[in-house]
Amino acid sequence: MNTNAVDIAGSTPEFYCRQEAPPRNGTLLGFWIYLMSDCFIFASLFACNAVLGTEYAGGPTGAQVLDLPGLALNTALLLVSSVVFGFAMLEMARQRKGAMLGWLAVAGLLAAAFVGLEIHEFLGMIAGGAGPGRSAFLSSFFTLVGTHGLHVTLGILWLIVLMVQTVKFGLNEDNTRRLRCLSMFWHFLDLVWVGVFSYVYLIGVLR
């Protein structure tokens, strides 16, 4: 908002605003646009994996290095985390702060377990000689899956900050709006992971 002052000699300053006030849900709309821009990032990484997914350079293939049983557990953790986050939003709508914080804590722990298993998978692959520098396939795999994992990690940090703010300031209008944005981000990451699960892992094993 641009606020200027007109100070004419000998007169009282007049304050005025040339712009309209932002709409009530402007933040949510802006965050939705951000998520769409994030879609382009992941679309680019999926395209790279589609092109490079069979360039093994004499190294291990997807069927040799991708852990499907571990993937099933990882996927379940993230999807359940999304459902739990939905419970937290319902409690927020009822203005039940304590219950909401409890569900948020569970959602954060499930997401943290997801990130922990992903790091364990990465370290196991690197220790087995299947690091990101081994082939174009592995480079695209680590970049795509790692970018998603980084988003989840940032979401967990954001969740912790909002929980602290909610404890300190309560469910005021600002915190409610921020939690809605985080909810959109949380569910967006689940949708991306469904794509990773279906294309990178399942199809990667069958190539």
Side-chain angles (χ1 to χ4, degrees), residues 74 77-78 81 106-116 152-153 156 159 186:
N74 227 7
L77 287 172
L78 195 62
S81 171
V106 175
L109 289 174
L110 291 171
F114 168 86
V115 174
V152 176
T153 303
I156 295 170
L159 175 66
W186 210 268

Side-chain angles (χ1 to χ4, degrees), residues 90-200:
L90 291 175
E91 297 298 344
M92 183 183 75
R94 297 168 184 159
Q95 292 293 309
R96 296 172 58 181
K97 187 177 76 173
M100 185 203 71
L101 290 173
W103 285 120
L104 288 180
V106 175
L109 289 174
L110 291 171
F114 168 86
V115 174
L117 287 177
E118 196 166 76
I119 292 174
H120 180 265
E121 179 189 20
F122 282 4
L123 293 178
M125 292 175 66
I126 294 171
R134 181 64 182 83
S135 67
F137 154 65
L138 288 170
S139 295
S140 63
F141 170 81
F142 274 92
T143 302
L144 174 54
V145 179
T147 300
H148 178 270
L150 179 62
H151 276 67
V152 176
T153 303
L154 293 176
I156 295 170
L157 295 177
W158 186 7
L159 175 66
I160 294 171
V161 171
L162 283 185
M163 289 179 69
V164 172
Q165 286 191 331
T166 303
V167 170
K168 189 172 183 180
F169 302 108
L171 279 173
N172 54 29
E173 184 177 353
D174 289 339
N175 285 336
T176 300
R177 184 180 66 253
R178 291 162 184 159
L179 284 166
R180 286 176 179 162
C181 289
L182 179 58
S183 177
M184 293 167 60
F185 185 71
W186 210 268
H187 297 308
F188 167 75
L189 294 181
D190 276 357
L191 292 177
V192 174
W193 182 254
V194 170
V196 173
F197 169 83
S198 304
Y199 186 77
V200 177

